[in-house]
Amino acid sequence: MAKKIVAGNWKMNTLKEDAQKLASEVVNMTKDEVPSDVTLIMCTPFIHLSQVKSLVGSSSNVFVGAQNCYTKTSGAYTGETAAPMLKSYGIDYVILGHSERREYFKESNQELAEKVDIVLANDMLPIFCCGEVLDEREANKQEEIVGSQLEESLFHLSAEDFSKVVIAYEPVWAIGTGKTASSEQAQEMHAFIRGLVEKKYGTEVAAETSILYGGSCKPSNAEELFACPDVDGGLIGGASLKSRDFIDIAKSY
Ligand code: 13P
């Protein structure tokens, strides 16, 4: 069975005090309300990682993630953050290939393959984002696009390494737009992704791969989305900035 995961992508939001408050609320509410088989991850801006990691402490089902890292381990790369630095702060997960990074920072499938490798080499777990833009969906090319994103950034991995990757399917047209993919659309793409993983790595690895849905996921639609057989959880943007909403989503299984 794939792990149930609800990950919050805070994006470039929250000041120091907001981050502290949000993270403490999430930790406390998780203790009281969220079943222990649900994994919660808070992916915060780099600058808050250390603070949030301290607040999370040794919680057994709340983890901390970064939203990106660089392809090199150290050196003269002003402004970048390396995977070993994240690891040294006890960070567990790293989001890679978010559509905002692909669009604004021109991250390619090839560069993302390098980032996936460096995150795994530093004993952290990638949350690898894939998804099509609206034009591609309208041209019915979503499978082709997502297929090549997985093929070019992930399918060079050994089965052992691949089994550490979390996949997040985020149709770009549903991100921050309030327009969620229908549960049928989400299930169809998740089943397609699991099918590709099965073809490449076999039934067992495919069944154990967590495939999260992202794009305007909120308390009011999470239950229907998470009820789809191939949707193992969510990557949550806007709603992860409100502890009540984030926790309610985590209680939607
Ligand atoms: P929203 O939930 O705000 O649509 O963002 C989704 C997302 O991009 C998560 O990574």
Side-chain angles (χ1 to χ4, degrees):
M1 271 279 283
K3 225 196 244 175
K4 298 174 186 167
I5 298 176
V6 174
N9 176 7
W10 293 9
K11 307 193 180 183
M12 196 177 73
N13 293 298
T14 65
L15 303 181
K16 185 180 180 198
E17 288 72 24
D18 311 322
Q20 207 163 359
K21 181 166 181 284
L22 177 55
S24 322
E25 286 171 1
V26 167
V27 170
N28 290 332
M29 289 160 108
T30 299
K31 255 185 248 148
D32 298 337
E33 302 182 39
V34 181
S36 59
D37 65 336
V38 178
T39 296
L40 283 90
I41 308 167
M42 290 185 277
C43 300
T44 83
F46 285 128
I47 197 154
H48 301 320
L49 285 170
S50 151
Q51 174 186 223
V52 171
K53 178 68 191 175
S54 310
L55 287 166
V56 164
S58 56
S59 161
S60 57
N61 59 335
V62 184
F63 297 87
V64 183
Q67 299 171 13
N68 179 35
C69 73
Y70 195 47
T71 50
K72 304 281 192 281
T73 48
S74 67
Y77 303 102
T78 303
E80 292 297 324
T81 300
M85 298 172 183
L86 297 173
K87 183 65 189 175
S88 73
Y89 278 92
I91 300 312
D92 307 293
Y93 290 85
V94 183
I95 295 177
L96 294 174
H98 191 280
S99 61
E100 288 146 18
R101 304 261 353 142
R102 292 175 187 268
E103 183 184 352
Y104 305 134
F105 303 96
K106 306 292 171 236
E107 292 191 356
S108 66
N109 291 343
Q110 288 66 31
E111 184 180 1
L112 290 169
E114 290 181 45
K115 292 190 175 187
V116 166
D117 288 345
I118 211 150
V119 165
L120 289 168
N122 284 279
D123 291 323
M124 296 179 292
L125 310 175
I127 302 175
F128 180 81
C129 303
C130 57
E132 79 287 354
V133 300
L134 186 59
D135 285 354
E136 293 159 347
R137 166 65 63 167
E138 283 172 347
N140 202 28
K141 284 190 169 161
Q142 61 273 19
E143 294 190 350
E144 190 187 316
I145 297 298
V146 168
S148 49
Q149 289 170 339
L150 300 183
E151 175 75 39
E152 292 170 26
S153 302
L154 294 180
F155 284 0
H156 63 286
L157 296 174
S158 66
E160 191 191 339
D161 275 344
F162 183 86
S163 62
K164 298 171 189 154
V165 176
V166 175
I167 295 178
Y169 169 61
E170 300 205 307
V172 182
W173 45 272
I175 296 178
T177 57
K179 196 171 164 185
T180 323
S182 68
S183 51
E184 290 77 22
Q185 285 170 320
Q187 168 56 26
E188 191 176 49
M189 281 303 287
H190 282 228
F192 168 73
I193 292 168
R194 203 177 304 279
L196 290 182
V197 174
E198 182 171 9
K199 222 183 279 168
K200 176 78 187 169
Y201 295 106
T203 315
E204 199 176 320
V205 172
E208 285 177 4
T209 300
S210 295
I211 308 177
L212 316 184
Y213 168 80
S216 299
C217 184
K218 39 189 183 263
S220 58
N221 58 26
E223 195 174 329
E224 188 182 338
L225 286 161
F226 294 0
C228 299
D230 287 297
V231 177
D232 304 305
L235 180 55
I236 320 299
S240 73
L241 296 171
K242 292 185 192 132
S243 53
R244 183 70 269 156
D245 285 359
F246 188 53
I247 296 296
D248 284 347
I249 291 171
K251 289 162 72 182
S252 297
Y253 288 94

